[in-house]
Structures are given as C-alpha cells and as structure tokens.
C-alpha cells in the first residue's frame, strides 16, 4: 500500500483547498478576489443573455410583416360643379393629385416630377409648379418649361361614375413625351368636358 505523505511538520498539506486559502492572504484580499471573479462571471453571462435576447427579438420581428400602406388608386373627388377655375390642391396630401379646371374641360395631374419623382409645389404667385429638388418648372397644365424635367407631368384617368361624381384612377396615367413622339393628353379618359 502506498502511504500518503502529509508533508513536513509545520508545512500545510498540498491540497487545492489549502492552495486557495493560503495563510498569507488576509480575509479582505480573499473576498476581493472572489468579488472580481463573480463580477467577471456576471459580465460574461450578461453578454450571453443579451445576445440571446436580441436574437429572440429578431425572431419575433419576423412574424410582423412590413406592410406599406399606400392610398387607394381609385377614388372619387366630387362633382364637377365643386371645382372653380384653376388649380385645386385639396387632394394633394391624401392622393398626390391636383385637379385642374379650365373653362371647357377638367383634368387631374399626378403630382410627381418627371425628373426624379419628387412632389412639386404649386406657386400661385408665379402661376407654375416648381419642383423643390432640382428646380424643374411646369406651367399650370403640368407642361415642363424649365429645369431638368424631360417631359410634362402625367395625367390620371378621370371619368364620371353613375352618380355624376368624378372618379380618378391614378393607376392609369396618360403621358406626353415629345422626345418619343407620344402624346396621350387628348385621349379619352385624360380629361372631362365640362
């Protein structure tokens, strides 16, 4: 049988417990060392739980689709008698259109600059549409005359519904492109005779 040596008299036995609690360390130093180790463990566990928590939130986000709510492309704007001569801006914020009434006809301009798609502003003092992005200018009928816009603004399809109200459909646009030799502004549906 092998004998277990207990070491020389006066020396502590070599064991892991005895190595941790050496008599040379004071109780305060031992408590500080234990607090440092506990603090490190807490930081590591906090990082692990934080990582898992963020991944769990991303997992939950997957179940809520990112839907884009756009206005309806077909809508009624009222009766022809509701509009005075000139530019009506009532539907600019809700449907992105201007209603233009002339003495003999009405049409609806889709408020999108043909340069890069910004929304122009109506300047009544200057009697023109002005794009704030790059300075394209359009007259009161939406025809470009200054700036980088390559063609006039598009017009939406307009018709009278059975009740006599004006129905606008912005999914059907009429284009005038002089460079391509295309002009649909005089097509049926591009304007209403009033």
């Amino acid at each position: 049988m092998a004998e277990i040596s207990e070491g020389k008299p006066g020396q502590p036995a070599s064991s892991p417990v005895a190595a941790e609690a050496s008599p040379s360390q004071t109780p305060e130093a031992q408590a500080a060392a234990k607090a440092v180790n506990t603090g490190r463990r807490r930081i590591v566990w906090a990082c692990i739980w934080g990582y898992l928590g963020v991944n769990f939130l991303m997992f939950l986000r997957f179940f809520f689709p990112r839907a884009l709510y756009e206005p309806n492309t077909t809508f009624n704007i009222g009766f022809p008698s509701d509009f005075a001569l000139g530019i009506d801006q009532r539907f600019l914020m809700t449907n992105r259109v201007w209603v233009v009434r002339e003495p003999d006809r009405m049409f609806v301009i889709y408020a999108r600059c043909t340069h890069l798609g910004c929304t122009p502003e109506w300047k009544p003092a200057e009697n023109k549409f002005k794009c704030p992005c790059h300075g394209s200018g359009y007259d009161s009928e939406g025809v470009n005359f200054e700036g980088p816009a390559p063609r006039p603004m598009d017009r939406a399809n307009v018709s009278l519904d059975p009740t006599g109200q004006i129905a606008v459909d912005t999914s059907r646009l009429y284009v005038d492109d002089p460079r391509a030799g295309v002009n649909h502004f005089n097509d049926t549906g591009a304007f209403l005779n009033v």
Side-chain angles (χ1 to χ4, degrees):
M1 253 188 165
E3 292 183 9
I4 300 174
S5 66
E6 295 182 16
K8 296 180 182 176
Q11 288 185 348
S14 59
S15 70
V17 175
E20 280 184 25
S22 64
S24 63
Q25 290 184 347
T26 63
E28 293 85 17
Q30 291 175 358
K34 187 175 180 182
V36 167
N37 288 338
T38 305
R40 287 182 187 158
R41 285 187 202 116
R42 284 184 180 162
I43 290 173
V44 170
W45 279 109
C47 291
I48 291 170
W49 283 112
Y51 174 76
L52 292 174
V54 167
N55 282 315
F56 182 69
L57 290 174
M58 289 189 300
F59 170 74
L60 288 179
R61 178 64 183 99
F62 173 78
F63 294 103
F64 298 97
R66 295 180 185 210
L68 180 61
Y69 299 103
E70 294 183 357
N72 196 355
T73 58
T74 305
F75 53 94
N76 289 341
I77 57 173
F79 296 97
S81 60
D82 296 341
F83 298 95
L85 291 177
I87 311 292
D88 192 320
Q89 300 191 69
R90 282 184 277 177
F91 305 98
L92 181 62
M93 298 304 286
T94 56
N95 300 100
R96 198 177 184 185
V97 295
W98 291 292
V99 180
V100 180
R101 172 128 189 207
E102 294 179 341
D104 58 340
R105 64 183 188 159
M106 272 180 87
F107 54 90
V108 175
I109 299 175
Y110 189 63
R112 180 179 59 196
C113 181
T114 55
H115 178 230
L116 290 179
C118 299
T119 302
E121 300 170 349
W122 170 245
K123 306 282 187 183
E126 301 172 33
N127 198 29
K128 68 177 181 178
F129 296 102
K130 188 73 173 171
C131 181
C133 297
H134 297 99
S136 295
Y138 302 89
D139 64 12
S140 62
E141 292 187 353
V143 177
N144 60 317
F145 65 90
E146 66 181 353
R151 60 184 178 81
M153 287 189 279
D154 301 331
R155 294 186 183 173
N157 182 315
V158 290
S159 60
L160 289 176
D161 69 1
T163 63
Q165 291 190 11
I166 301 170
V168 178
D169 185 2
T170 57
S171 65
R172 295 176 54 199
L173 298 176
Y174 296 92
V175 178
D176 177 15
D177 192 352
R179 297 178 305 168
V182 175
N183 185 354
H184 295 288
F185 282 0
N186 293 321
D187 291 359
T188 304
F191 63 92
L192 282 178
N193 288 321
V194 288

